[in-house]
């Protein structure tokens, strides 16, 4: 039977197993919206700004491992979506974004609401397509999902001109795709894996360093098993938290710019570094010249271009984290004799010494709410089981430091692009994916205002997100840098004319709470969490002068931390 | 690579976004019209070339990539050059063209247009050998290349 392009698109989404689409209508996508209207298999979530659609789709993907889908109109719809696309790209999140386009005969004419969406998004997508014939629509969509979800995942944009959505053709769901130019590897080279295992077992001061790739690649369980078997210390990057239980004694906490003293010192002094699904980002390595200078490095990654990009490695292994870890574990178990017990024991003794600095300790106060205190309590009240999204700034770092994630897919933040405004719409995506779970959005009074309009979406779809605002009346992270590196000249980092967040939440139909007394922190959190059906906007008035410690200043090595 | 609209801009965009430098670039369809072949000349340390290779391979439209400098290979470039050629000067230009195995492909009373193919250095040498005053216009195709022997770039 012949279907219109719009009908094909919607049928395809259903056949591909897509349950939710985050979007916003407009002229170029009206046929698609009409097709959505006539069915009930694919649910459309109406956001209030296209940036929200892409972040929500992104949050959905990060919390499920399945691709998120967004639908926006041409021109301003597409440009508004770009921040969310770039955010997903930097963190390798599988996502398909369908953008409407002006009719093919008008392309290139500066038509109403025309932008070159393929051109604008090219540098921040894994791939993108402009569909030129309705006959190509279904297979192009199939390719988009295939590319987005395989290899190193990432966002794919499909630009669909309006006339294509009206044109008719036969529809058959394309079950399979073959692309001669795209064949992602899966299994790592077995010889390399054997060499890696040998090196691991010869280590005297080993260190495991893992990133977002382990979460995305579903390697968490295998990683945990291997780490326990070896008895080695392990650290996670900001993106990798939750891949290894945050409460385990082998876990040294996060590493990098605001990582723990023990994690960074162990990195600096290790003799064998096992990097898995991590990309040696500049926020992790500090000064690259001084990075792990004593170590032989094993690097497992799905993306060959991540290997030896920033740091030269000794044993590169290209493959999916899951497959490689499976092979590693098998080989490890077959081998007689484990790691050098005495050496590892001495190494742990050293690490325990570093741990004693208790680098995350902070001064509590009976008068003013310390931001760290809020997060410690959030962790306790939710028993570490919440999905936590965050925005960008100090609150993000404190969330990463103080919420001990013990499962993958639970910690959702914009690590690579550092996009303020990500937290709330991402939380919507998470809550849609997990309607019965607790979803907390940790944010600042600066960040939350960047996508605050999504409070309306939350009401419309009954999303009982708990917004934890650490309100320090400052763009705190900016203020911290100005305090440290600009002699306290606080240029434009003070937040004036703040709204009354309680009233604001109420006017959107939600519950608002303002918490000023440290004694109220835990009770207020309990009260909010008990409101299972309501979004609660919690405005914690926190200490204005608190800084995130430890900190590695730009240009310094991992062993040159500012502790307090 | 795939003979798709936008494939070229993906390559060019990659080079500009990552700060690599394109010395020359040629591209045309192959005998299989769904594919085109691009020859790109760039320069960099071993690490940079390794990154460029990996990044190019990552582009979805790139089907296969070969670093010709890893083996013996042939490079060719074409030069079209228009020179002033009058009276006794005509003889001189013709002789030079002969020496460089070029051919004169267009003639007016005042000028010759010459075609020369060869390694880039040969084209440089020809331009050097000409009196600068005589050159009206030059156009170069950029380098294309192929491996020597039986080795070939096949999909
Ligand atoms: C869209 C965007 N604009 C600017 C920045 C730069 N930036 C990084 S952190 C920060 C301050 C964030 O302030 P707030 O949300 O109040 O959080 P706090 O640091 O106070 O916890 C700014 C402006 C950014 N990351 N994203």
């Amino acid at each position: 039977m012949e279907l219109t392009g719009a009908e094909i698109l919607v049928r395809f989404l259903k056949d591909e197993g897509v349950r939710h689409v985050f979007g916003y209508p407009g002229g170029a996508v009206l046929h698609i919206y009409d097709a959505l209207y006539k069915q009930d298999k694919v649910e459309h979530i109406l956001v209030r700004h296209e940036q929200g659609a892409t972040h929500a789709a992104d949050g959905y993907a990060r919390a499920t491992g399945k691709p998120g889908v967004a639908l926006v109109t041409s021109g301003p719809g597409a440009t508004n979506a770009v921040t969310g696309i770039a955010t997903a790209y930097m963190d390798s999140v599988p996502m398909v974004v369908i953008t409407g386009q002006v009719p093919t005969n008008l392309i290139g004419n500066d038509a109403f609401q025309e932008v070159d969406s393929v051109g604008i998004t090219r540098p921040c997508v894994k791939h993108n397509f402009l569909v030129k014939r309705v006959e190509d629509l279904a297979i192009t969509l199939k390719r988009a999902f295939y590319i987005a979800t395989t290899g190193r995942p990432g966002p794919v944009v499909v630009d669909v001109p309006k006339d294509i959505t009206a044109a008719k053709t036969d529809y058959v769901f394309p079950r399979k795709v073959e692309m001669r130019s795209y064949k992602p590897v899966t299994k790592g080279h077995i010889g390399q894996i054997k060499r890696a295992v040998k090196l691991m077992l010869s280590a005297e001061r080993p260190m495991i360093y893992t990133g977002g790739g382990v979460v995305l690649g579903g390697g968490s369980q295998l990683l945990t098993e291997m780490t326990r078997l070896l008895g080695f210390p392990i650290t996670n990057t900001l993106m990798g938290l939750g891949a290894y239980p945050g409460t385990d004694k082998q876990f040294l906490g996060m590493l990098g710019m605001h990582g723990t003293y023990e994690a960074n010192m162990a990195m600096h002094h290790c003799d064998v570094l096992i990097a898995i699904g991590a990309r040696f980002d500049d926020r992790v390595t500090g000064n690259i010249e001084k990075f792990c200078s004593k170590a032989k490095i094993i690097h497992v990654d799905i993306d060959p271009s991540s290997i030896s990009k920033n740091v030269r490695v000794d044993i590169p292994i290209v493959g999916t984290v899951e497959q490689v870890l499976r092979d590693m574990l098998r080989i490890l178990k077959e081998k007689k004799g484990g790691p050098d017990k005495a050496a590892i024991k001495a190494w742990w003794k050293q690490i325990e010494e570093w741990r004693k600095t208790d680098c995350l300790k902070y001064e509590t106060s009976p008068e003013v709410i310390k931001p760290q205190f809020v997060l410690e309590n959030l962790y306790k009240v939710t028993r570490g089981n919440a999905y936590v999204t965050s925005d960008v700034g100090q609150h993000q770092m404190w969330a990463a430091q103080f919420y001990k994630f013990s499962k993958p897919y639970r910690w959702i933040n914009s690590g690579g692009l550092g996009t303020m405004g990500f937290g709330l719409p991402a939380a919507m995506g998470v809550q849609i994916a997990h309607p019965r779970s607790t979803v907390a959005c940790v944010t600042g009074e600066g960040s939350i205002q960047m996508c605050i309009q999504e409070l309306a979406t939350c009401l419309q779809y009954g999303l009982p997100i708990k917004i934890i605002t650490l309100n320090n009346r400052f763009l705190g992270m900016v203020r911290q840098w100005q305090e440290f590196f600009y002699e306290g000249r606080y240029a434009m980092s003070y937040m004036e004319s703040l709204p009354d967040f309680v009233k604001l939440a109420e006017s959107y139909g939600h519950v608002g709470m303002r918490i000023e007394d440290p004694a109220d922190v835990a009770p207020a959190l309990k009260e909010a969490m008990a409101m299972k059906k309501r979004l609660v906007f919690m405005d914690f008035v926190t200490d204005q002068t608190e800084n995130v410690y430890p900190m590695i200043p730009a240009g310094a090595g991992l062993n040159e931390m500012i502790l307090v | 690579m795939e003979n798709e609209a936008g494939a070229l801009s993906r390559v060019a965009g990659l080079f500009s976004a990552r700060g690599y430098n394109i010395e020359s670039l040629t591209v045309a369809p192959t005998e299989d019209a769904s594919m085109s072949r691009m020859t790109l000349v760039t320069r960099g340390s071993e690490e940079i070339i390794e990154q460029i290779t990996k990044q190019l391979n990552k582009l979805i439209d790139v089907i296969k990539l070969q670093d010709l400098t890893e083996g013996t290979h042939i490079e060719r470039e074409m030069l079209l050059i228009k020179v002033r050629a009058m009276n006794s000067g005509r003889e001189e230009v013709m002789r030079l063209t002969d020496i460089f195995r070029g051919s004169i492909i267009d003639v007016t009373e005042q000028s010759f247009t010459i075609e020369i193919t060869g390694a880039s250095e040969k084209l440089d040498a020809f331009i050097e050998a000409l009196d600068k005053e005589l050159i009206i216009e030059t156009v170069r195709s950029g380098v294309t290349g192929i491996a020597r022997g039986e080795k070939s770039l096949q999909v």
Side-chain angles (χ1 to χ4, degrees):
Chain A
M1 200 185 76
E2 289 213 322
L3 298 179
T4 66
E7 288 162 346
I8 289 173
L9 194 147
V10 174
R11 273 281 292 276
F12 174 87
L13 292 178
K14 180 193 136 248
D15 293 346
E16 182 67 24
V18 174
R19 301 275 314 282
H20 298 98
V21 173
F22 301 88
Y24 206 92
V29 286
L30 280 176
H31 295 317
I32 302 174
Y33 273 81
D34 196 45
L36 277 169
Y37 187 86
K38 292 178 188 155
Q39 54 85 55
D40 59 2
K41 296 291 186 297
V42 181
E43 191 189 354
H44 179 274
I45 313 293
L46 176 71
V47 294
R48 295 302 187 270
H49 184 293
E50 290 86 350
Q51 181 182 351
T54 38
H55 287 331
D58 178 329
Y60 185 94
R62 293 188 205 222
T64 58
K66 288 190 233 147
V69 181
L71 168 64
V72 299
T73 193
S74 67
T79 55
N80 272 349
V82 169
T83 299
I85 296 171
T87 302
Y89 180 66
M90 289 296 277
D91 290 341
S92 310
V93 178
M95 183 158 105
V96 173
V97 180
I98 298 157
T99 53
Q101 183 54 276
V102 302
T104 33
N105 65 326
L106 289 182
I107 289 180
N109 277 348
D110 301 322
F112 176 63
Q113 295 197 322
E114 178 184 2
V115 294
D116 174 7
S117 301
V118 165
I120 286 177
T121 58
R122 192 193 316 114
C124 58
V125 292
K126 184 168 173 189
H127 197 59
N128 56 20
F129 297 95
L130 170 65
V131 181
K132 289 189 183 142
R133 301 180 329 145
V134 68
E135 292 78 17
D136 297 338
L137 182 59
I139 188 67
T140 305
L141 287 165
K142 186 71 192 176
R143 286 194 182 124
F145 277 84
Y146 174 58
I147 293 170
T149 53
T150 51
R152 179 178 180 171
V156 177
V157 167
V158 184
D159 201 21
V160 189
K162 189 168 184 181
D163 54 323
I164 304 292
T165 61
K168 285 188 167 178
T169 190
D170 283 327
Y171 169 73
V172 203
F173 178 65
R175 285 192 186 283
K176 268 192 151 156
V177 258
E178 267 286 318
M179 291 176 71
R180 62 181 171 193
S181 60
Y182 177 68
K183 303 225 184 297
V185 287
T186 51
K187 277 185 87 71
H189 190 280
I190 206 76
Q192 290 289 85
I193 297 176
K194 283 186 179 149
R195 281 179 61 209
V197 169
K198 200 167 157 216
L199 181 62
M200 279 151 70
L201 292 178
S202 73
E204 295 185 352
R205 298 184 309 282
M207 180 69 173
I208 303 175
Y209 144 60
T210 77
V214 177
V215 178
L216 284 164
S220 186
Q221 244 180 337
L222 290 163
L223 173 74
T224 307
E225 194 185 333
M226 188 177 85
T227 306
R228 295 227 165 107
L229 184 71
L230 288 164
F232 291 175
I234 176 166
T235 179
N236 291 163
T237 67
L238 178 68
M239 296 310 298
L241 293 173
Y244 188 84
T247 45
D248 190 88
K249 60 183 189 314
Q250 277 170 256
F251 185 62
L252 306 192
M254 180 173 76
L255 83 164
M257 183 173 270
H258 293 297
T260 65
Y261 184 68
E262 51 272 30
N264 286 333
M265 290 301 274
M267 288 291 289
H268 187 78
H269 291 279
C270 71
D271 69 344
V272 172
L273 180 68
I274 304 142
I276 308 172
R279 62 186 176 92
F280 299 84
D281 176 81
D282 54 276
R283 284 294 191 265
V284 156
T285 61
N287 186 333
I288 207 93
E289 317 271 90
K290 300 179 190 168
F291 179 78
C292 290
S293 50
K294 305 176 187 80
K296 287 244 181 288
I297 304 178
I298 299 161
H299 188 188
V300 181
D301 206 284
I302 183 76
D303 179 2
S305 74
S306 274
I307 289 176
S308 293
K309 182 174 72 178
N310 303 335
V311 173
R312 209 76 231 146
V313 303
D314 301 281
I315 305 183
I317 302 168
V318 176
T320 63
V321 161
E322 207 215 339
Q323 284 284 356
V324 174
L325 282 174
R326 209 176 283 289
D327 285 338
M328 266 186 180
L329 253 173
R330 201 194 63 242
I331 295 167
L332 261 173
K333 285 178 180 163
E334 283 165 6
K335 274 224 154 70
K336 285 180 215 62
D340 178 344
K341 283 216 176 65
I344 305 295
K345 203 172 156 202
W347 178 225
W348 271 112
K349 198 158 161 261
Q350 170 65 72
I351 291 170
E352 293 307 333
E353 283 303 312
W354 289 324
R355 232 180 208 164
K356 280 187 197 144
T357 53
D358 195 6
C359 66
L360 296 181
K361 71 171 174 295
Y362 61 95
E363 275 175 45
T364 48
S365 153
E367 275 104 46
V368 47
I369 299 178
K370 293 285 181 177
Q372 300 96 324
F373 182 69
V374 177
L375 286 156
E376 272 184 335
N377 278 286
L378 177 67
Y379 174 70
K380 280 188 208 145
V381 169
T382 59
R383 296 196 190 85
N385 279 324
Y387 286 85
V388 179
T389 73
S390 98
D391 267 303
V392 174
Q394 292 181 314
H395 60 272
Q396 176 189 25
M397 294 301 130
W398 285 316
Q401 292 175 336
F402 288 89
Y403 202 100
K404 297 181 190 66
F405 294 93
S406 283
K407 289 179 198 144
Y409 302 124
R410 297 293 164 123
W411 166 235
I412 287 154
N413 81 124
S414 165
L417 197 66
T419 309
M420 287 171 71
F422 174 79
L424 177 58
M428 302 191 315
V430 179
Q431 189 80 77
I432 298 261
H434 302 292
R436 271 177 287 281
S437 301
T438 302
V439 181
C441 163
V442 176
T443 182
E445 79 294 342
S447 293
I448 191 68
Q449 292 189 77
M450 286 213 176
C451 278
I452 194 110
Q453 73 288 344
E454 298 305 333
L455 283 173
T457 311
C458 294
L459 184 72
Q460 184 174 347
Y461 297 93
L463 306 177
I465 296 161
K466 305 297 178 275
I467 299 176
I468 316 292
T469 308
L470 302 180
N471 184 349
N472 54 6
R473 284 83 70 214
F474 269 115
L475 297 173
M477 190 55 96
V478 174
R479 189 202 57 75
Q480 175 167 347
W481 282 60
Q482 289 169 336
E483 178 187 326
F484 286 9
F485 310 118
Y486 297 88
E487 295 162 340
R489 291 186 297 278
Y490 298 131
M492 308 306 144
S493 56
Y494 187 76
M495 283 264 100
E496 282 183 60
S497 311
L498 282 172
D500 177 334
F501 286 117
V502 173
K503 282 193 190 146
L504 183 118
E506 285 168 359
S507 84
Y508 272 108
H510 301 302
V511 179
M513 283 183 181
R514 188 176 172 88
I515 305 99
E516 289 171 282
D517 185 341
D520 294 337
V521 169
L525 280 166
K526 280 185 199 138
E527 191 188 334
M529 296 302 159
M531 288 188 247
K532 296 267 180 235
K533 298 225 149 73
R534 301 297 300 273
L535 182 148
V536 185
F537 193 120
M538 307 187 78
D539 183 20
F540 289 94
V541 180
T542 57
D543 187 349
Q544 289 199 277
T545 58
E546 197 60 46
N547 289 321
V548 184
Y549 295 110
M551 177 171 183
I552 300 169
L558 290 187
N559 60 334
E560 300 168 304
M561 270 159 285
I562 306 173
L563 281 172
V564 256
Chain B
M1 47 196 218
E2 298 291 347
N3 189 5
E4 293 274 348
L8 177 60
S9 59
R10 285 181 215 281
V11 173
L14 171 71
F15 274 73
S16 65
R18 296 196 181 260
Y20 309 139
N21 162 43
I22 301 180
E23 293 206 352
S24 82
L25 183 159
T26 64
V27 57
T30 62
E31 61 279 15
D32 173 350
S34 71
M35 278 188 279
S36 47
R37 176 161 173 144
M38 171 186 280
T39 308
L40 191 149
V41 180
T42 185
R43 210 172 277 281
S45 63
E46 210 175 302
E47 284 79 31
I48 291 181
I49 298 299
E50 182 182 329
Q51 259 305 307
I52 292 177
T53 309
K54 287 173 171 175
Q55 294 291 349
L56 281 170
N57 268 319
K58 214 162 107 174
L59 293 179
I60 308 286
D61 286 335
V62 171
I63 301 170
K64 200 159 183 186
L65 187 135
Q66 187 184 1
D67 180 351
L68 285 174
T69 64
E70 275 175 359
T72 53
H73 66 284
I74 301 157
E75 283 177 31
R76 287 291 179 271
E77 188 178 2
M78 187 172 83
L79 167 74
L80 297 178
I81 184 165
K82 196 171 283 183
V83 296
R84 239 179 289 283
M86 282 176 295
N87 313 327
S88 61
R90 289 173 90 89
E91 270 299 302
E92 175 60 22
V93 172
M94 281 162 73
R95 200 166 41 242
L96 212 54
T97 305
D98 253 2
I99 295 172
F100 280 85
R101 289 175 216 269
S103 45
I104 295 170
I105 53 175
D106 188 45
V107 179
T108 71
E109 272 172 27
Q110 314 265 319
S111 71
F112 287 153
T113 299
I114 303 153
E115 175 197 319
I116 296 189
T117 303
S120 303
E121 298 74 37
K122 174 176 155 183
L123 310 189
D124 295 341
F126 181 71
I127 294 170
E128 267 309 297
L130 282 168
D131 183 350
K132 293 243 158 2
E133 304 285 296
L134 297 180
I135 300 174
I136 301 168
E137 187 181 347
T138 64
V139 54
R140 299 173 71 142
S141 64
V143 178
T144 64
I146 197 163
R148 280 193 188 277
E150 263 108 76
K151 213 174 130 198
S152 76
L153 185 57
Q154 293 246 309
V155 183

